[in-house]
Amino acid sequence: MKITILDKAPEEEDEIIIKCQSLDDDIRLLIERIKNHRQKISFQKDSKIVFAELTDILYFESVDDKVFAYTTDEVLETKLKLYQLEQDFLPQDFLRVNKAVIMNLNKVESLSPAFGGRFEAVLKNGYKVIISRNYVPALKKKLGL
C-alpha cells in the first residue's frame, strides 16, 4: 500500500482519495475509521445535554432500561437503546459482548478465558467486562484470532 500526502491551498477543503482495485474489508474498515474518528454523540448529564467523542467511550451498558456510556472520567446517560447504537452510530471498533454491554475494542487492555466458554476483558481503566460465550466467536473474528 502506498500513501501520498500533498499540501493543499489554504482555500481548499481537506480531502482523502482512495485508489484501489476493489473495495475489500480492509479498505471499508479504514473508511469507517476515518469517518468516525471525531464522531460525537449526545448524552444527558445533570439535566444538561453534553457531547462525547466515540473514541473516548470505553463501553455502553444497559441498566434498568437506561443506557449509560462509560469513559475514564464519567458516566453519561443516553436516550438511545443498545440496538439503536449498534445499528446506527457505532463504528467497527465497538462490539456487543453480552446482552447488556457494547464494548470499545480499542479500550481493551487484555483478554482471558473465563469459566463456561466465556472471556473476561480488562479495559484500560481496570474495569472488567464478561464476554458471553454467545459473543466470543464474533469477538475472535473481529480480532482475527
Side-chain angles (χ1 to χ4, degrees):
M1 179 185 300
K2 178 176 127 179
I3 297 175
T4 305
I5 300 174
L6 305 171
D7 288 331
K8 65 174 185 66
E11 68 277 357
E12 289 182 313
E13 183 179 358
D14 289 342
E15 177 182 25
I16 297 173
I17 298 170
I18 298 174
K19 271 178 146 176
C20 58
Q21 193 72 26
S22 65
L23 203 57
D24 63 12
D25 288 340
D26 289 337
I27 300 291
R28 283 190 182 95
L29 180 60
L30 178 64
I31 292 167
E32 188 167 328
R33 284 188 179 190
I34 291 168
K35 284 181 179 178
N36 294 315
H37 177 66
R38 292 283 180 198
Q39 184 177 351
K40 291 187 177 190
I41 190 165
S42 64
F43 297 97
Q44 304 219 282
K45 184 176 182 183
D46 302 327
S47 56
K48 294 180 191 170
I49 296 174
V50 296
F51 296 91
E53 290 185 16
L54 285 175
T55 54
D56 293 336
I57 295 170
L58 299 166
Y59 65 98
F60 291 92
E61 182 176 34
S62 177
V63 179
D64 295 332
D65 291 328
K66 294 182 179 181
V67 175
F68 299 93
Y70 295 81
T71 69
T72 52
D73 303 327
E74 57 191 344
V75 178
L76 304 166
E77 183 180 349
T78 179
K79 298 255 185 218
L80 298 169
K81 301 293 183 194
L82 286 180
Y83 75 88
Q84 291 172 309
L85 287 165
E86 252 181 329
Q87 290 173 359
D88 301 332
F89 292 100
L90 299 181
Q92 291 287 333
D93 300 336
F94 285 82
L95 179 70
R96 171 93 61 140
V97 294
N98 64 49
K99 189 170 83 170
V101 175
I102 297 174
M103 184 173 66
N104 185 344
L105 298 176
N106 291 327
K107 302 297 182 181
V108 174
E109 194 166 281
S110 67
L111 288 168
S112 58
F115 180 73
R118 299 178 300 166
F119 269 66
E120 180 181 81
V122 177
L123 303 181
K124 292 186 178 180
N125 68 343
Y127 186 79
K128 295 177 182 177
V129 174
I130 295 297
I131 300 159
S132 166
R133 68 174 182 249
N134 296 334
Y135 295 93
V136 168
L139 174 70
K140 286 182 175 181
K141 182 179 178 186
K142 196 144 234 192
L143 296 177
L145 301 175

